[in-house]
Amino acid sequence: MKYYVLFGPPGAGKGTFAKLLVENKGYYHISTGDLLRKEIAAGTELGLQAKDLIEHGNLVPDEVVCGMIRSEFASNPDVRGFLLDGFPRTVTQAEALDKMLAEIGASVDRVVSIHITDEVVRQRIKGRALVENRADDADDEIISTRIRNYHEKTEPVINYYKAQDKYVEVEADGTIPENYAKVEVLVD
Ligand code: AMP
């Protein structure tokens, strides 16, 4: 079983590349953001807890997302591997993932990081707001909070995986097919 992490700031294209990788390589895509939005739409207890945090651009507690990942792994025992999109987003989540995988004799195979500048993050997110109708994409202040959270809480994950020699970065400065080609070669 392979475990790939698609890493990068909001708007980098993680979801877009994950969908293409599902079509081309047959991996199973887990997006913690999509799972949380489903919980909110279904009006579950978890969704109610997450809604306010997400709408203000803040991260949901580590235990919540780690629980969702654990249950996704358990519910999909027969896939050839997983593409994790939007997880881990903190060093605590990365440590929890390592622990979870160690329990089943597995480990993260590679972290493919998609790099774009903060300016491009802003443009992309605002463009996506028009298409996907996400409240957290539409407001400048919320976008700034998400960018700040990315730098403060998520970027430290880079050194965590560099220390394990698993981190590879792609400069996503071309078209979607050009950027995707750079990502695809890094996934078996
Ligand atoms: P995304 O669709 O990945 O941009 O996620 C949307 C929002 O869901 C984020 O801004 C966070 O509020 C929340 N979220 C998604 N994944 C995580 C995670 N791994 N840890 C904490 N919060 C998350």
Side-chain angles (χ1 to χ4, degrees):
M1 187 84 84
K2 295 277 188 180
Y3 296 87
Y4 287 100
V5 173
L6 289 178
F7 187 86
K14 301 185 293 292
T16 304
F17 300 140
K19 284 187 185 89
L20 291 166
L21 287 168
V22 168
E23 284 168 24
N24 297 327
K25 306 257 181 184
Y27 286 113
Y28 188 86
H29 175 205
I30 304 176
S31 155
T32 41
D34 286 351
L35 291 172
L36 288 164
R37 282 184 288 277
K38 271 188 206 151
E39 296 283 342
I40 293 172
T44 63
E45 184 66 31
L46 194 159
L48 284 174
Q49 283 173 20
K51 189 172 188 295
D52 200 51
L53 291 165
I54 293 180
E55 284 182 355
H56 288 89
N58 290 313
L59 295 184
V60 170
D62 292 326
E63 318 78 79
V64 172
V65 282
C66 291
M68 293 192 320
I69 290 284
R70 188 182 279 278
S71 103
E72 285 290 305
F73 286 162
S75 324
N76 295 284
D78 299 323
V79 299
R80 76 176 274 256
F82 292 95
L83 299 168
L84 304 180
D85 156 10
F87 179 92
R89 245 179 169 99
T90 62
V91 170
T92 305
Q93 290 176 21
E95 288 167 349
L97 175 62
D98 273 353
K99 239 171 135 188
M100 237 184 270
L101 294 180
E103 283 169 20
I104 51 170
S107 63
V108 169
D109 286 275
R110 183 172 285 153
V111 177
V112 180
S113 176
I114 302 152
H115 182 259
I116 57 172
T117 62
D118 287 355
E119 207 27 60
V120 176
V121 169
R122 276 181 194 285
Q123 290 163 12
R124 291 263 184 87
I125 291 184
K126 293 193 93 167
R128 187 170 68 181
L130 303 171
V131 183
E132 293 186 12
N133 195 26
R134 279 176 55 172
D136 62 338
D137 279 349
D139 182 282
D140 277 325
E141 213 173 301
I142 296 172
I143 296 172
S144 295
T145 306
R146 289 164 73 196
I147 293 174
R148 197 174 57 246
N149 278 326
Y150 175 75
H151 288 306
E152 284 177 15
K153 299 185 174 146
T154 305
E155 259 178 356
V157 172
I158 294 175
N159 279 337
Y160 181 85
Y161 285 117
K162 273 188 179 167
Q164 296 187 7
D165 217 8
K166 291 183 175 167
Y167 181 84
V168 189
E169 195 167 283
V170 158
E171 198 60 49
D173 53 3
T175 62
I176 291 178
E178 284 165 357
N179 296 337
Y180 174 68
K182 293 188 196 171
V183 170
E184 200 192 52
V185 291
L186 296 170
V187 175
D188 287 340

